[in-house]
Amino acid sequence: PMPAQQYRKRPVVVEAMHWDGTEACLREALRFVDFSSLPDDGVHVGGPGIGYMPALGTLDIPTLEGTMTASPGDWIIRGVAGEFYPCKPDIFAATYESIDQERG
């Protein structure tokens, strides 16, 4: 076997939106995430009340690893293969930086 070596993650560009748990944000999330093309694991989100819990501000997102829940403050990321998943804000801040400022 080969000894362990160090690897650096390749830079990738992802699209992401900040989830705040409101119905206004849900409308934006439904535009951003194509729920009809996500893995069929029994969760379908067609609008408020399906996968969205207004009282908690949570949104269930079918991912490649099963259903994950976005809570208010989380980011929803579209990955390099077109998959979607939520990400906690501290992890997002440590992992990603905006490139929109670079474009000027």
Side-chain angles (χ1 to χ4, degrees):
M2 301 254 317
Q5 297 176 330
Q6 291 188 322
Y7 292 86
R8 177 184 297 124
K9 188 184 278 191
R10 291 181 173 142
V12 296
V13 175
V14 299
E15 240 183 310
M17 65 166 285
H18 199 223
W19 171 252
D20 68 9
T22 64
E23 290 211 24
C25 195
L26 175 64
R27 286 192 291 276
E28 181 59 33
L30 291 175
R31 277 193 291 272
F32 179 57
V33 180
D34 180 7
F35 284 92
S36 66
S37 71
L38 297 180
D40 181 6
D41 63 358
V43 176
H44 294 86
V45 178
I50 307 172
Y52 172 60
M53 298 285 292
L56 300 174
T58 59
L59 179 66
D60 290 334
I61 301 173
T63 75
L64 299 174
E65 288 82 35
T67 300
M68 297 178 75
T69 301
S71 299
D74 288 354
W75 288 81
I76 300 173
I77 297 172
R78 178 188 290 134
V80 294
E83 77 282 15
F84 289 87
Y85 53 93
C87 182
K88 292 293 173 200
D90 54 338
I91 303 295
F92 187 85
T95 309
Y96 298 97
E97 61 186 1
S98 174
I99 63 170
D100 286 336
Q101 289 91 6
E102 294 175 10
R103 294 181 183 167

